[in-house]
Amino acid sequence: NSPAPLPERAIYGFALFLGSWFGFMLYLIWAYVPETWLFSLGLTYWPQKYWAVALPAYLLVAIGIGYVLLFGINMMSTAPLNSTHTVTDNYAKKQQQKTFQEEAIPALRDIPISEVNRMFFLPEK
Amino acid sequence: EERRYRSASGAAIALQCRQHSASCRELAVRCPRLQLRSLSAVTSAVWLAAYGLYAVSENSMVLSAAIFIMLIGLIIYLHFVKVDQESLLVIGSLGIQVTSSYASGKESTTFIEMGQVKDVVINEAIHMQKVIYYLCILLQDPRDPQGVSEVVPLFQSSKPRLDCLIEVYKSCQEILERRKTAPQSS
């Protein structure tokens, strides 16, 4: 799964490049060429030209709203002050006590909040 | 024994600690009163906006509506929102009582019996784009002695800063420690 260049990736990239240029040219032709010329060529089934302006406008407003929406979603997913998720979680509840070995660094574990508070705020006697 | 501290937003609050007996303590945090300058600022803003609306619409009901809104809004604010004092009464063998007194005189009280209280700790959490310290009571889960079933945050309106919280925490821990060493007499 490395991001190194591969022949397949080069082909996909080139195909996307050509496709996006083609799509852009098609969009410009549809937006600017008058309808009568397109009808004379026999191409009658196009969407209304109203959409050539409406779609970019919608897209820009959607991007702007996306910023506000993401901010709001973040605020809504923050745990409220009275939830137990601020104190513990499933991993901490299910962790097992590892055996204490002499002269070894103690194993990593989630320390309960009461112990942390005592260590921080009560002066050591 | 009243000491001055600051709240999380910078307002001046005062902590008062009273020891009723060896195992009973009352800690009260007093919030600043409603300031005259903020009240007059809001009143002038609302009345000027109403006068602007009246000048545009020529409808005098707008002015009376603005006066009503101000009065009713002020009463609702004083009765439901503006907290005057929050106090914590810790009785060693009995429980913990949390009282909020509002500016209109209303008092709302919650009592938690000592059997349900696991611990009183200072927790940090994200609150409105800030990380604040707040004191909370951890309630015991009856099925799991190590588990926490509920978290009850304290001093929600005054939001004292860490120095004030450490004082309250030390006071509570002195009483809570004694209930473990004393023999259970139930």
Side-chain angles (χ1 to χ4, degrees):
Chain A
N1 282 348
S2 73
L6 294 172
E8 297 92 35
R9 287 179 181 169
I11 295 174
Y12 297 153
F14 191 58
L16 270 178
F17 170 72
L18 285 183
S20 57
W21 262 112
F22 176 69
F24 186 52
M25 285 302 139
L26 191 65
Y27 170 75
L28 285 183
I29 291 172
W30 164 52
Y32 280 107
V33 172
E35 283 208 330
T36 45
W37 294 16
L38 289 175
F39 287 167
S40 67
L41 282 174
L43 306 162
T44 52
Y45 199 63
W46 292 101
Q48 281 186 331
K49 290 209 185 235
Y50 158 80
W51 291 107
V53 182
L55 281 177
Y58 272 127
L59 191 68
L60 286 177
V61 174
I63 290 175
I65 289 184
Y67 277 110
V68 180
L69 194 71
L70 194 63
F71 188 68
I73 289 178
N74 269 328
M75 280 186 76
M76 279 176 58
S77 347
T78 310
L81 291 188
N82 63 347
S83 100
T84 51
H85 292 287
T86 54
V87 176
T88 184
D89 67 352
N90 272 335
Y91 170 76
K93 285 184 202 154
K94 294 204 178 87
Q95 65 181 349
Q96 280 121 6
Q97 291 281 48
K98 308 211 174 76
T99 53
F100 176 71
Q101 291 166 338
E102 285 292 332
E103 311 242 335
I105 299 175
L108 195 65
R109 69 180 178 106
D110 191 52
I111 305 178
I113 186 171
S114 310
E115 244 178 88
V116 175
N117 265 270
R118 268 193 287 275
M119 190 200 80
F120 274 142
F121 303 126
L122 294 181
E124 293 295 311
K125 292 179 182 103
Chain B
E1 335 121 28
E2 195 172 273
R3 275 167 291 185
R4 301 257 170 88
Y5 290 100
R6 292 217 163 257
S7 81
S9 53
I13 56 174
L15 170 73
Q16 190 184 30
C17 179
R18 288 166 61 186
Q19 173 137 355
H20 297 286
S21 87
S23 65
C24 175
R25 262 190 214 161
E26 182 172 7
L27 302 131
V29 172
R30 213 165 32 87
C31 309
R33 303 279 175 141
L34 182 62
Q35 301 278 358
L36 182 62
R37 54 177 176 229
S38 56
L39 179 64
S40 39
V42 173
T43 308
S44 339
V46 171
W47 284 354
L48 279 175
Y51 188 73
L53 265 177
Y54 165 70
V56 164
S57 70
E58 300 292 327
N59 184 7
S60 65
M61 284 300 293
V62 174
L63 298 174
S64 8
I67 296 178
F68 264 130
I69 289 174
M70 270 310 302
L71 282 175
I72 296 191
L74 185 66
I75 291 178
I76 290 179
Y77 177 70
L78 291 180
H79 194 68
F80 291 109
V81 175
K82 181 93 188 75
V83 168
D84 196 26
Q85 172 175 304
E86 289 168 308
S87 75
L88 188 69
L89 176 67
V90 184
I91 306 177
S93 47
L94 196 61
I96 301 183
Q97 176 169 293
V98 184
T99 314
S100 302
S101 359
Y102 292 85
S104 64
K106 168 174 109 160
E107 283 197 6
S108 118
T109 314
T110 313
F111 179 74
I112 303 167
E113 60 165 335
M114 210 36 117
Q116 288 180 352
V117 169
K118 183 165 187 282
D119 203 0
V120 172
V121 298
I122 298 181
N123 193 11
E124 314 167 58
I126 302 177
H127 174 75
M128 304 279 271
Q129 298 89 45
K130 270 203 287 211
V131 176
I132 58 167
Y133 290 100
Y134 65 104
L135 198 71
C136 59
I137 305 178
L138 301 177
L139 296 189
Q140 188 103 22
D141 191 2
R143 291 160 298 183
D144 174 19
Q146 303 293 328
V148 174
S149 77
E150 218 182 300
V151 171
V152 178
L154 304 173
F155 301 127
Q156 290 281 77
S157 299
S158 41
K159 291 204 178 61
R161 286 189 182 171
L162 190 61
D163 43 7
C164 180
L165 287 180
I166 293 180
E167 293 299 321
V168 180
Y169 173 75
K170 284 187 197 162
S171 276
C172 291
Q173 284 295 319
E174 280 173 20
I175 299 186
L176 287 177
E177 270 168 9
R178 263 183 242 138
R179 69 164 173 164
K180 281 179 215 130
T181 54
Q184 291 291 331
S185 58
S186 53

